[in-house]
């Protein structure tokens, strides 16, 4: 019986695999991605965390991940949502660690300038500080969904996409956060 040779496995570059249409046509460099989207990532992380001292570290973590995986993004149109998901995952990780440290360290002050409008900053600072100190007691997944929906004004489908869950799960997370926030937000308005 003649011996058959097996084909050897070989690494193939992304450009050489699949039809020509599969290759990314509008690739973006890391520097371009950072220049265009670092403000978005910092704003998103700042709204979720509520503290300026954590934002640069999380933004750096996000862009370290982006630097390693940017080639996996197929189009510029998908880049912003992809960055948002990474930013949310890293901010959520920071929130989980914060909850652990909450028992070990005294409470820190909340920097209300992250979310308060410039025109009404002085009036809103105490309320924003109260909101974020209460948000520190909300589980990270529910907090992220609530912040995206109510502070970032994202539609439910975008909240679900960024959180990596279904719309129904996003609604449950938002409702759970609202239940814990009700003492400072007041009673929920009845839907008519």
């Amino acid at each position: 019986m003649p011996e058959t040779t097996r084909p050897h496995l070989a690494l193939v570059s992304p450009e050489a695999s699949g039809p020509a249409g599969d290759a990314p046509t509008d690739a973006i460099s890391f520097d371009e991605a950072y220049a265009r989207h670092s403000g978005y990532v910092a704003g998103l992380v700042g709204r979720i965390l509520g503290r300026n001292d954590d934002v640069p570290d999380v933004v750096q973590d996000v862009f370290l991940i982006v630097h390693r995986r940017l080639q996996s993004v197929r189009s510029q149109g998908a880049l912003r949502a992809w960055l948002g998901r990474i930013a949310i995952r890293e901010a959520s990780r920071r929130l989980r660690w914060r909850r652990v440290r909450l028992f070990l360290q005294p409470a820190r002050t909340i920097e209300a300038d992250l979310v308060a409008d410039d025109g009404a900053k002085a009036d809103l600072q105490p309320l924003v500080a109260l909101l974020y100190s209460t948000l520190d007691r909300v589980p990270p997944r529910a907090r992220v969904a609530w912040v995206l929906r109510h502070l970032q004004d994202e539609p439910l489908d975008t909240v679900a996409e960024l959180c990596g869950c279904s719309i129904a799960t996003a609604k449950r997370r938002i409702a759970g956060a609202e239940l814990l926030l009700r003492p400072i937000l007041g009673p929920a308005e009845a839907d008519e």
Side-chain angles (χ1 to χ4, degrees):
M1 192 173 215
E3 196 173 307
T4 60
T5 60
R6 293 174 138 178
H8 293 290
L9 296 176
L11 292 176
V12 179
S13 70
E15 292 83 24
S17 65
D22 288 349
T25 57
D26 55 349
I28 185 170
S29 72
F30 175 78
D31 293 335
E32 273 184 280
Y34 184 82
R36 288 185 188 172
H37 300 287
S38 61
Y40 165 70
V41 170
L44 182 61
V45 168
R47 292 267 173 128
I48 291 170
L49 297 178
R51 295 187 185 153
N52 271 336
D53 58 341
D54 290 338
V55 172
D57 292 338
V58 175
V59 171
Q60 180 179 359
D61 292 344
V62 167
F63 280 98
L64 282 172
I65 293 167
V66 170
H67 189 264
R68 287 188 302 242
R69 299 184 186 158
L70 187 59
Q71 297 81 13
S72 67
V73 178
R74 296 238 181 246
S75 71
Q76 276 187 346
L79 182 63
R80 186 176 172 100
W82 181 68
L83 284 168
R85 287 190 298 273
I86 295 170
I88 287 168
R89 185 177 59 239
E90 293 302 310
S92 296
R93 186 173 292 142
R94 185 65 55 116
L95 286 173
R96 287 190 296 272
W97 277 109
R98 185 188 292 173
R99 287 189 76 174
V100 170
R101 288 191 310 254
L102 186 66
F103 296 109
L104 304 175
Q105 295 177 344
R108 300 158 98 181
T109 59
I110 303 299
E111 297 182 18
D113 62 332
L114 285 173
V115 294
D117 184 12
D118 288 337
K121 189 189 287 189
D123 295 342
L124 289 179
Q125 281 184 347
L127 296 173
V128 171
L130 177 61
L131 172 66
Y132 271 96
S133 66
T134 306
L135 278 171
D136 280 343
R137 296 185 194 107
V138 175
R141 289 181 175 175
R143 176 181 177 150
V144 167
W146 188 87
V147 167
L148 288 172
R149 181 73 176 122
H150 294 292
L151 296 183
Q152 290 290 108
D153 290 325
E154 296 288 353
L156 279 172
D157 58 338
T158 303
V159 172
E161 178 186 352
L162 289 172
C163 290
C165 63
S166 68
I167 292 176
T169 300
K171 286 180 180 179
R172 281 193 300 274
R173 289 177 183 177
I174 292 166
E178 286 173 350
L179 186 65
L180 294 171
L181 293 169
R182 190 165 292 144
I184 65 162
L185 296 178
E189 294 179 15
D191 292 331
E192 293 183 26

